[in-house]
Amino acid sequence: MTDTTRPPLAGTPSLLRAINDRAALELLLANGPLSRTQIGTLTGLSKPTASQLLTRLEAAGLVVPVGTTAGGPGPNAQLYQVNPAAGYVAGLDVTTTHVRIAVADITGTTLAEHQVATKGWSAAGTVEKVGEALAATVREAGLADGSLDQVVIGVPGALDPATGKLRYASHLPGWHSPRLLADLEAALGTPFSIENDVNLAAIAEQALGAAHGCEDFVLLWAEEGIGAAIVIAGRLHRGFTGGAGEVGYMPVPGAPVVRDVRRRNSGGFQELAGADAVLELAAAHRLAAGTAEEAVDLALRTEGDGDAFLAELAERIAVGLAVIVSVVDPELLVLSGGIPTAGGERLRALVEEALALISIPRPEVRRSTVPGSPVLHGALQRALATAREAAFTTH
C-alpha cells in the first residue's frame, strides 16, 4: 500500500509576515503607542524584524508615528499607533421609538453620536429615514459620504438566515418588507449586517463590561420585552433560525400558557416579568408609576410595599432564569435592560438569592456595567471586528 500521508507544510514567509503584522496591530490597539523595541519584546520578534514590520505597516497606512519616548536612558524612541483613518464603522440601535447611531474610527474611538425619534415615520419610508440619519451622523463625524467600511444594525428581532426576513419583530413598522435587505443596501450604500439587539448587548458585556473574560454566560434583557443572549465557548449561539434567546415566548410556572404566540406576540415569561407585568405587579403593591423602570425605582424608596414588590419581581425573574440555567448551565448570568438597571444592586442580589432556592446550577449573577446603550456599544464592537479583519489582513 502506498503511503499518501503528506508532511505538514511550513508557513510561507508572506503568511508569517501577515501573522506578525496582525499580532502587532492587536498589541497596538490594546496597549496604545509602542516603540519598535516594545513591539519586539511583546511579540518575541527581533529588533530588525520588528523594524521591518513597522515600516511595512506604515507604508500600508495601518500605523502612524505619534511622538517619542522620553525620560529614559539613551536616545528617545519613535512611538507608533494604529492609524485611526485606516477604517470607519457605524452602529445602530433601532427601537420602536427612536434610532441611536454612533460612528467610530478603526481604533474604536467614537467620533459622533446621534439619536432620532421615529414618531411620524411611515412604514414605507422607514429604511430611507434610517439612511438619512446615518448620513447625517457621518457628516457630524467630519467624514465624507462613503467613508464607512461596515455598519451593524441592532434590532429587537432576528434575521432568519434561510429567508432573509426579520422575525420576532412585528412591533417594528417598516422592517418587514420582503425587500428589506435590498432596500437597506440601497439606503446605506455600505456593507452592513443586522443583529438581534440583546445579542449585541452581550457582545458589549463580553468586550467591555460584566462578562469580560467569560466564555460561557447568559445575558437576560428586561425592558419593554424580555430576551436573552447565550454565549457558549466565547461565541454567540443564534440558533437554526436566528431565534435563540427569544425567551419572552418561553412557558414558565406562574404565567398562563399562550397558545398563539405568533398572533399575540407574547409568551409566558413575558407575561410574568415584562414591562406590562411589572406595572401590574406594582399596582397590586400600591405603587403608582408610569413605566416599569419608574415602578422599580419607587419600590427602592418605599419600605413595606416596595420591599414586597421587589421580592416578588426577583422571584419572577428567577423562575425564567432557572429554566434557562437548567438547559445551558452557564458560568455567569448578566442582568441588563431598563428594569435591572433601575433595580441596581438590590434587585440583583434578590434575583441571585431567589435563583439559588430553585435551581441546582447556581451561576454568579452580575449587573450590566456597560454605560449608555449596551446595544449601540455592541453594534460598534461587532462592526469593528469585521472592519479590522478586512483592514488588518496583509497576506
Side-chain angles (χ1 to χ4, degrees):
M1 180 179 293
T2 303
D3 184 2
T4 58
T5 303
R6 299 179 61 184
L9 298 177
T12 63
S14 61
L15 175 59
L16 294 175
R17 283 196 297 269
I19 292 172
N20 290 336
D21 290 349
R22 183 61 182 262
L25 289 165
E26 295 293 344
L27 284 170
L28 288 168
L29 284 173
N31 298 285
L34 296 171
S35 67
R36 286 181 172 85
T37 300
Q38 290 170 324
I39 289 176
T41 300
L42 291 170
T43 59
L45 299 174
S46 66
K47 288 184 179 180
T49 301
S51 181
Q52 293 170 2
L53 177 152
L54 284 168
T55 299
R56 186 166 59 248
L57 292 179
E58 186 175 6
L62 294 175
V63 302
V64 290
V66 287
T68 60
T69 59
N76 295 341
Q78 180 70 62
L79 294 173
Y80 293 85
Q81 71 173 21
V82 172
N83 182 5
Y88 300 98
V89 302
L92 283 74
D93 175 12
V94 177
T95 74
T96 56
T97 60
H98 58 264
V99 177
R100 297 187 185 97
I101 305 170
V103 172
D105 62 36
I106 201 73
T107 70
T109 299
T110 299
L111 304 178
E113 288 192 39
H114 184 59
Q115 179 170 314
V116 56
T118 58
K119 184 178 181 179
W121 286 12
S122 67
T126 293
V127 169
E128 182 180 357
K129 291 288 188 181
V130 169
E132 291 172 357
L134 176 60
T137 312
V138 169
R139 290 192 293 271
E140 186 179 338
L143 304 177
D145 292 342
S147 296
L148 296 178
D149 298 286
Q150 184 69 33
V151 176
V152 171
I153 305 169
V155 296
L159 197 69
D160 189 324
T163 65
K165 293 182 179 179
L166 193 65
R167 307 175 71 224
Y168 311 103
S170 59
H171 55 304
L172 280 182
W175 291 84
H176 300 281
S177 165
R179 288 182 42 82
L180 176 63
L181 297 182
D183 291 343
L184 280 170
E185 184 176 359
L188 303 181
T190 191
F192 71 93
S193 63
I194 298 175
E195 180 62 88
N196 174 260
D197 55 354
V198 182
N199 283 348
L200 291 176
I203 289 174
E205 293 295 342
Q206 190 175 34
L208 309 167
H212 184 67
C214 181
E215 294 198 337
D216 289 270
F217 71 95
V218 171
L219 179 139
L220 182 75
W221 182 274
E223 206 164 81
E224 180 180 355
I226 297 281
I230 302 166
V231 176
I232 301 173
R235 298 174 63 88
L236 276 169
H237 177 69
R238 294 182 174 83
F240 181 68
T241 66
E246 293 292 341
V247 297
Y249 301 84
M250 181 174 66
V252 293
V257 176
V258 177
R259 302 188 184 279
D260 190 359
V261 294
R262 291 182 182 274
R263 181 172 64 84
R264 296 186 60 181
N265 192 36
S266 184
F269 197 14
Q270 178 73 22
E271 294 194 357
L272 194 67
D276 290 345
V278 172
L279 283 174
E280 291 175 4
L281 179 64
H285 287 280
R286 296 179 291 278
L287 299 170
T291 68
E293 291 84 357
E294 290 173 358
V296 173
D297 180 67
L298 177 60
L300 290 171
R301 296 180 281 108
T302 305
E303 294 185 3
D305 288 336
D307 298 332
F309 164 82
L310 289 170
E312 186 171 348
L313 175 59
E315 289 177 1
R316 291 185 177 196
I317 293 172
V319 164
L321 286 174
V323 177
I324 300 169
V325 164
S326 67
V327 176
V328 180
D329 189 21
E331 174 188 353
L332 173 69
L333 291 171
V334 178
L335 303 180
S336 189
I339 294 171
T341 298
E345 173 58 22
R346 186 172 173 192
L347 182 59
R348 183 213 65 79
L350 287 170
V351 169
E352 187 171 52
E353 180 181 344
L355 181 62
L357 295 175
I358 58 175
S359 174
I360 293 177
R362 296 178 178 179
E364 180 183 356
V365 179
R366 297 179 185 172
R367 291 184 293 142
S368 167
T369 58
V370 175
S373 167
V375 176
L376 191 59
H377 283 292
L380 284 178
Q381 288 297 315
R382 172 79 182 276
L384 284 167
T386 302
R388 287 169 180 169
E389 186 64 31
F392 293 174
T393 299
T394 60
H395 179 57

